[in-house]
Amino acid sequence: MELRHFRCFAAVAETLHFARAAEQLGISPPALTKQIQEIERLLDVRLFQRTKRSVHLTSAGEVFREEVLRTLHQAARAEEAARRAGRGEIGRIEIGYIASAAYSGLLQTEVARFRSAYPLVKLNLIEAPMDSLPVMVSNGGMDLAFIRPPVPCPPDVAVLTLLYDDFVAALPEDSPLAQKEILPAADLAAEQFILPEQASGTMEVGRRGRFVPRTVANPGGLVAVITLVSLGQGVAIVPVSVMQRVHMPGVVYRQIEGKSIPGAIALASRRHEKSPVVRAFLKQLKSRQTA
């Protein structure tokens, strides 16, 4: 039995008139009669009691009508769900991110925008080590990832820059260097460096100060980095968003002399993404560049 049989039965059960039901369905009355006869033959039961003047449902027809209407409703829901999924309106997206994407507010802003436009899409967000995120996007463990370039990416992963920012120095509060409002890079030559998720800022400070930074820890997470600074374990070169969001006892932030040290937050995605719902998120993020 097929959905066409159910639709024919439902039309007759609603109108209790074969000619009107046939007109409603856009078929001829004889063709409709044939469909009903097929159903009754398949079920081996009479569904309608017909006379020259009227059509009535039998008791079996009454029971069958309830199930048919339920089935047609579920089929309509399935069809609509498939269409919405094809348009990227429902589904699930796995998103990886680094802490500075959250500290900058970028992650919250874009997730809120997307949820407003696509309330039926489930977003699963996971903080993960930055070096692992592009590989996870490539192998399907993540659909999208907020990262901080430069970071090695597989050939099938594209990187879209979303936001530019700068780096600043995080110092123990009792460090003599904390007395300066602006730090020359060379003044940091004797310090030990705690590396955050992106080491490019640290390397640039070393280049400007003409020294090779001595690193003592690489805890990864920015809160862990700032915690070690607060404990006097060393200094750190961190995104300016950390200075704006993370206020920890025993830590001060200072700008570095000269031109700002540039940084950025970007999105890693598969170059040939097939999922409509992931493409919808990508389209939203790309619109930032034209806004």
Side-chain angles (χ1 to χ4, degrees):
M1 198 174 299
E2 302 176 15
L3 283 177
R4 60 183 172 86
H5 291 111
F6 287 0
R7 293 189 178 103
C8 288
F9 172 83
V12 178
E14 177 188 358
T15 61
L16 295 177
H17 195 287
F18 273 74
R20 285 199 294 270
E23 183 180 1
Q24 184 182 103
L25 293 167
I27 61 177
S28 67
L32 177 57
T33 298
K34 183 178 179 181
Q35 295 292 317
I36 299 301
Q37 289 171 343
E38 283 184 13
I39 300 171
E40 292 179 328
R41 185 176 70 252
L42 288 167
L43 296 176
D44 193 24
V45 66
R46 291 291 298 273
L47 298 173
F48 294 100
Q49 187 68 46
R50 298 180 65 178
T51 69
K52 291 183 178 180
R53 296 184 177 182
S54 65
V55 176
H56 298 286
L57 284 163
T58 64
S59 57
E62 292 280 2
V63 173
F64 189 56
R65 178 178 61 179
E66 298 302 318
E67 297 302 325
V68 164
L69 293 178
R70 187 177 293 114
T71 299
L72 290 175
H73 177 67
Q74 183 59 43
R77 288 182 60 189
E79 290 174 4
E80 180 60 18
R83 291 190 185 98
R84 298 187 77 170
R87 295 193 298 265
E89 294 175 6
I90 60 175
R92 179 186 179 97
I93 306 177
E94 300 288 335
I95 301 174
Y97 68 92
I98 54 172
S100 60
Y103 293 142
S104 70
L106 172 68
L107 183 66
Q108 294 89 330
T109 298
E110 294 305 326
V111 165
R113 282 179 64 202
F114 190 79
R115 280 179 172 156
S116 176
Y118 299 90
L120 298 181
V121 175
K122 179 173 177 56
L123 302 181
N124 188 36
L125 294 106
I126 301 172
E127 183 179 359
M130 186 172 70
D131 289 346
S132 69
L133 285 172
V135 175
M136 295 173 75
V137 170
S138 176
N139 64 27
M142 294 286 177
D143 295 307
L144 302 169
F146 289 83
I147 61 173
R148 185 172 281 278
V151 57
C153 292
D156 63 335
V157 172
V159 176
L160 173 71
T161 299
L162 301 173
L163 179 149
Y164 292 96
D165 61 5
D166 305 322
F167 285 95
V168 295
L171 311 169
E173 190 176 40
D174 58 2
S175 167
L177 295 178
Q179 304 304 313
K180 299 184 179 182
E181 290 299 318
I182 298 180
L183 281 177
D187 287 6
L188 293 163
E191 301 298 318
Q192 298 186 103
F193 287 82
I194 301 161
L195 291 180
E197 58 201 10
Q198 178 51 266
S200 62
T202 305
M203 298 302 106
E204 176 61 16
V205 166
R207 187 191 69 79
R208 292 186 183 188
R210 299 178 183 275
F211 66 89
V212 176
R214 292 182 299 133
T215 60
V216 293
N218 185 4
L222 287 170
V223 171
V225 169
I226 300 302
T227 299
L228 291 181
V229 173
S230 75
L231 295 172
Q233 299 297 301
V235 303
I237 308 301
V238 297
V240 69
S241 58
V242 177
M243 177 180 72
Q244 296 165 344
R245 307 294 183 190
V246 181
H247 304 286
M248 191 174 293
V251 177
V252 296
Y253 299 95
R254 295 292 182 263
Q255 291 186 339
I256 299 165
E257 189 176 71
K259 292 177 61 176
S260 62
I261 299 176
I265 297 174
L267 184 82
S269 64
R270 290 180 285 272
R271 292 187 183 276
H272 304 291
E273 181 57 59
K274 296 179 180 179
S275 166
V277 67
V278 176
R279 290 203 303 266
F281 205 144
L282 279 169
K283 182 178 179 180
Q284 171 187 297
L285 291 167
K286 288 177 181 178
S287 72
R288 288 179 59 91
Q289 297 182 321
T290 57

